[in-house]
Amino acid sequence: MINTINEVQSYKFVPLVYQIASRMGSSKDGGGPHNFQFALVSLVKKMAVDHPYHTIFQLLALANGDRIKDKQRSRNSFVVDMDKILSARTLLDELTSYHGPVIEQMKQMVEIYIKLAELETQREDTNKRVALPREIRSVRQLELVPVVTASFPVDRNCKYHDGSFPYFKGLADSVMIMNGINAPKVVECLGSDGRKYRQLAKSGNDDLRQDAVMEQFFGLVNTFLQNNRDTWKRRLGVRTYKVIPFTPSAGVLEWVNGTLPLGEYLIASTRNGGAHGRYGIGDWSFLKCREHISNEKDKRKAFQEICENFRPVMHHFFLERFLQPADWFEKRLAYTRSVAASSMVGYIVGLGDRHSMNILIDQTTAQVVHIDLGVAFEQGLMLKTPERVPFRLTRDIIDGMGVTGVEGVFRRCCEETLAVMRTNKEALLTIVEVFIHDPLYKWALSPLKALQRQKEMDDDLDTSLDDSQDEYEGNKDAARALMRVKQKLDGYEEGELRSVHGQVQQLIQDAIDPERLCQMFAGWGAWM
């Protein structure tokens, strides 16, 4: 490996920088130039020297591995690995002789963002603009650091000239405080290209590292979909956005411009009732539906009654926004295709928690964007109310597809997407395996922990398993998750092998099965 590092161009490793770097530290084997850690660090060093802007942020995040706010420490969900942290810090020190000023400015920017993410805000500030404190505002432009959410290509010749990326010119004076447990902040970052990059600074119990890994997987699947003729001409793909973790609990996400959460369109946070209020005259309100299914013992019957009194309205989105028939048709087609592709990809990685505020719709292209990817690899089965559907294919989602519903375009695109993923099974499994064994990846919801979490909810006892037990469970969970992804890519459903056609048939069947839908958590809104 050592000899190869000098021969192979480092750009080939950049897509996996995240996973390669996370294995630094904890050199159990003896020292000397022949051990694994030495080879690994040499590789990361070469990548950082050649491609600083695609590598050093990862190293800074590792070096900040112990920066967890005290509030979150008690949740014992973040593993602090001192070896890894020291290893990253040592490497950063070595790199200063190559990229000293760049690293200095990057550190300044990371500090700003961490402060911003952890900014304490008041309850009443939610959905309001708040002026930034002077220490955050006073940052000067950092001409050596790219805007962290801007995408620019890896240069195979390792030459990043002035102007090859938009650099950081500062932050707007005020931020918008979003709704949510951790009150994420929306900030505008000014780029040297004159653009304003909207970003979401987040801190709290969500580990952004999982979102980063999911986006990485989506990107990989997109590559395969673009390289296949059938999926390329249907423009099948998953909309992605950048996620940059800075500490185990804080980081920045690219704000997806021009989108609207489906729930916002359909029920508009229930004030004026959204599209359901406008078109579902005489129907029950979302809240009434929610109460009805929560209070009734016979969920199946309650669900049936809700469906009779709450009719889908999603098709109006296209009628309201795209007035030319050709445009209307094109956008409805784009919507259907993107729901199909994201459903299949989400199913393979076991993406859960797909309630209507976690699926955005782009108001110009009508494609859907999935956000908040914290529940994956079927962790949704471990939630208090287990999620029994493979993806969100509720009545409103189907209503947007037009008169043929799931038949025709939707089914066909599901089959094409799944076929491509099954063909590229080996590559996808390799990546998932790398993710799953990533020491940073927290298997937060092993069945044992899920049980605890429910108990904690009930009586807030802070019981915790001892670590050795935990690590063992974690590895078992990793193996189980990988096994399940493999089965899906092989076409095993309920213990029998299926063709792509048969597998899609089964999945659509499961996703619209009232028996499964009526058992979903009430807030998920299975009737919408």
Side-chain angles (χ1 to χ4, degrees):
M1 187 67 190
I2 296 267
N3 299 339
T4 320
I5 289 171
N6 301 322
E7 292 161 17
V8 178
Q9 288 178 288
S10 54
Y11 76 83
K12 292 179 185 288
F13 296 100
V14 168
L16 282 176
V17 56
Y18 202 81
Q19 284 72 25
I20 294 171
S22 75
R23 286 178 172 66
M24 291 187 354
S26 62
S27 43
K28 300 279 187 287
D29 46 359
H34 295 299
N35 75 2
F36 170 71
Q37 278 298 321
F38 183 80
L40 187 73
V41 172
S42 313
L43 174 60
V44 178
K45 183 171 177 179
K46 183 178 178 189
M47 289 161 73
V49 171
D50 292 350
H51 306 285
Y53 309 109
H54 294 89
T55 312
I56 294 177
F57 282 126
Q58 265 66 343
L59 293 176
L60 288 171
L62 289 176
N64 285 333
D66 55 349
R67 293 190 48 177
I68 302 164
K69 285 178 35 202
D70 291 336
K71 262 191 235 161
Q72 286 135 15
R73 274 188 200 280
S74 61
R75 307 284 304 159
N76 64 35
S77 53
F78 297 111
V79 187
V80 174
D81 175 347
M82 279 321 289
D83 286 342
K84 190 183 308 308
I85 293 166
L86 295 172
S87 182
R89 287 178 186 167
T90 312
L91 179 55
L92 282 165
D93 287 343
E94 281 179 36
L95 287 167
T96 48
S97 56
Y98 300 87
H99 293 300
V102 175
I103 294 175
E104 217 24 70
Q105 291 199 3
M106 282 187 171
K107 282 183 175 166
Q108 282 179 290
M109 185 169 83
V110 171
E111 285 310 313
I112 296 277
Y113 277 118
I114 294 174
K115 278 193 188 123
L116 177 62
E118 294 180 349
L119 193 62
E120 295 287 335
T121 55
Q122 264 49 60
R123 250 300 171 43
E124 54 269 19
D125 289 338
T126 304
N127 294 330
K128 293 203 181 75
R129 295 200 79 81
V130 174
L132 284 179
R134 174 164 308 145
E135 51 177 358
I136 297 181
R137 237 187 4 224
S138 61
V139 62
R140 56 185 189 80
Q141 63 172 2
L142 304 170
E143 64 289 339
L144 302 178
V145 188
V147 172
V148 66
T149 51
S151 292
F152 58 96
V154 171
D155 184 335
R156 296 184 172 191
N157 302 318
C158 316
K159 291 189 169 47
Y160 295 94
H161 305 291
D162 279 355
S164 57
F165 57 80
Y167 64 78
F168 178 93
K169 287 198 76 159
L171 298 175
D173 291 341
S174 62
V175 291
M176 182 83 171
I177 310 294
M178 299 294 288
N179 205 350
I181 313 175
N182 304 314
K185 338 279 189 291
V186 180
V187 60
E188 288 195 332
C189 172
L190 313 173
S192 57
D193 53 358
R195 285 184 49 198
K196 288 183 177 166
Y197 292 82
R198 293 189 87 180
Q199 300 167 334
L200 194 64
K202 235 175 152 179
S203 157
N205 287 324
D206 314 344
D207 192 337
L208 284 185
R209 295 181 295 199
Q210 164 136 327
D211 287 65
V213 157
M214 284 290 131
E215 286 298 328
Q216 207 178 351
F217 185 84
F218 290 171
L220 185 74
V221 173
N222 283 342
T223 312
F224 294 138
L225 292 172
Q226 275 150 14
N227 291 339
N228 175 285
R229 216 177 120 250
D230 293 324
T231 49
W232 174 77
K233 66 172 193 242
R234 288 185 172 80
R235 298 192 190 83
L236 291 176
V238 186
R239 274 285 290 276
T240 58
Y241 53 90
K242 287 193 81 166
V243 179
I244 304 94
F246 287 140
T247 72
S249 58
V252 168
L253 301 96
E254 173 187 355
W255 180 267
V256 193
N257 278 319
T259 54
L260 184 71
L262 282 180
E264 190 62 42
Y265 173 73
L266 291 169
I267 51 172
S269 50
T270 57
R271 277 198 302 282
N272 54 3
H276 275 282
R278 291 197 296 278
Y279 299 108
I281 311 288
D283 280 3
W284 292 0
S285 71
F286 183 84
L287 287 176
K288 178 168 181 182
C289 298
R290 187 172 172 165
E291 277 162 22
H292 187 66
I293 202 149
S294 304
N295 298 336
E296 294 290 320
K297 274 280 170 280
D298 184 345
K299 300 284 182 215
R300 181 75 180 75
K301 180 165 154 289
F303 185 69
Q304 194 53 50
E305 288 164 359
I306 290 173
C307 291
E308 285 160 17
N309 291 287
F310 190 87
R311 295 161 300 179
V313 298
M314 186 65 202
H315 68 277
H316 288 286
F317 176 85
F318 302 92
L319 293 170
E320 286 175 2
R321 282 176 164 71
F322 309 111
L323 305 180
Q324 302 298 327
D327 196 25
W328 165 85
F329 182 79
E330 186 191 332
K331 298 303 192 275
R332 191 186 69 179
L333 184 61
Y335 163 82
T336 308
R337 286 170 169 171
S338 84
V339 172
S342 57
S343 298
M344 289 300 110
V345 180
Y347 154 72
I348 293 295
V349 292
L351 183 60
D353 197 27
R354 297 296 88 210
H355 59 75
S356 62
M357 295 305 280
N358 279 345
I359 304 176
L360 314 179
I361 186 162
D362 185 312
Q363 302 185 71
T364 47
T365 66
Q367 290 168 315
V368 296
V369 189
H370 286 258
I371 59 168
D372 212 345
L373 314 170
V375 178
F377 298 120
E378 307 207 338
Q379 294 164 335
L381 290 171
M382 320 289 184
L383 295 171
K384 200 163 190 175
T385 314
E387 299 191 349
R388 300 284 315 286
V389 294
F391 40 81
R392 186 178 192 93
L393 192 60
T394 48
R395 292 151 67 239
D396 265 308
I397 299 262
I398 296 172
D399 191 62
M401 297 173 186
V403 66
T404 60
V406 297
E407 299 313 326
V409 176
F410 179 75
R411 185 182 294 271
R412 187 86 191 128
C413 290
C414 284
E415 290 172 1
E416 298 283 5
T417 306
L418 190 59
V420 167
M421 288 198 287
R422 279 174 62 161
T423 310
N424 292 287
K425 181 180 83 183
E426 298 306 327
L428 290 173
L429 280 174
T430 304
I431 294 286
V432 171
E433 187 162 19
V434 171
F435 291 169
I436 284 176
H437 292 298
D438 182 338
L440 293 180
Y441 192 83
K442 67 171 202 296
W443 286 97
L445 285 179
S446 68
L448 273 170
K449 281 203 183 154
L451 234 68
Q452 278 180 343
R453 190 161 287 193
Q454 294 189 12
K455 287 206 188 79
E456 275 173 34
M457 297 294 177
D458 299 343
D459 51 18
D460 252 330
L461 282 176
D462 228 4
T463 48
S464 62
L465 303 166
D466 67 72
D467 284 351
S468 56
Q469 174 71 22
D470 235 22
E471 195 162 315
Y472 171 66
E473 281 301 324
N475 289 334
K476 277 202 327 203
D477 284 338
R480 190 184 308 126
L482 187 66
M483 188 64 202
R484 191 64 196 102
V485 175
K486 185 176 183 330
Q487 287 171 345
K488 291 173 179 179
L489 289 168
D490 280 335
Y492 276 100
E493 287 305 321
E494 297 174 7
E496 49 188 78
L497 198 55
R498 318 243 161 154
S499 64
V500 170
H501 181 78
Q503 191 175 11
V504 168
Q505 167 60 20
Q506 179 72 54
L507 292 174
I508 292 178
Q509 215 47 56
D510 289 349
I512 61 181
D513 177 6
E515 282 300 339
R516 287 169 182 259
L517 287 169
C518 69
Q519 298 297 336
M520 292 295 287
F521 168 61
W524 196 82
W527 53 89
M528 181 175 87

